[in-house]
Amino acid sequence: MTLHRYLLLATALAVPGLAQAANPAPPPPLTAEHRLSDAEIAKVLEAAAEKREAVEQRQSEKRQIHGEVGFSVGTGGYSSVYGTAAIPILNDGLAIVSFDSTDFGSRGGWGWRGPR
């Protein structure tokens, strides 16, 4: 054995926690039972009713179209127009529509296709 292995073995034997694994305490028995009191049951039902009312109110609000539109203008006749809209459908549907129109410049000069 090399010197390093002797040192590791001596360290493991000197410290009792390193040489053997700790035995965990056994888990408690699963026979315990906990029941809610009538007041606790009433609290849980009341909180559930409040959450349900909040969800129904949020769903009943009129949903609106959201989106954005943008444009860009550059040198040599470059121009671009683009947009996106999220359109609600019925109670829980959604349609997303996007468009884009780009002109890289039609007035001679250097375009993305090279010189003309």
Side-chain angles (χ1 to χ4, degrees):
M1 286 187 157
T2 64
L3 179 62
H4 292 89
R5 290 186 187 185
Y6 282 121
L7 290 175
L8 287 175
L9 181 62
T11 305
L13 294 175
V15 181
L18 293 176
Q20 50 185 292
N23 293 330
L30 297 177
T31 58
E33 185 177 288
H34 178 74
R35 294 186 180 241
L36 297 177
S37 67
D38 291 339
E40 291 172 324
I41 292 172
K43 273 187 186 179
V44 169
L45 293 176
E46 183 179 327
E50 289 175 5
K51 288 180 184 178
R52 186 178 336 111
E53 288 175 7
V55 168
E56 289 174 356
Q57 181 182 10
R58 193 174 33 204
Q59 288 178 346
S60 68
E61 294 174 357
K62 185 176 178 182
R63 297 173 22 177
Q64 298 179 354
I65 297 175
H66 293 280
E68 63 181 23
V69 176
F71 66 94
S72 177
V73 178
T75 58
Y78 172 84
S79 62
S80 179
V81 177
Y82 49 89
T84 299
I87 305 165
I89 299 173
L90 299 177
N91 291 331
D92 58 354
L94 182 67
I96 299 176
V97 180
S98 296
F99 70 92
D100 179 9
S101 177
T102 301
D103 181 10
F104 290 99
S106 58
R107 291 185 271 155
W110 290 80
W112 65 278
R113 296 182 187 133
R116 296 183 185 167

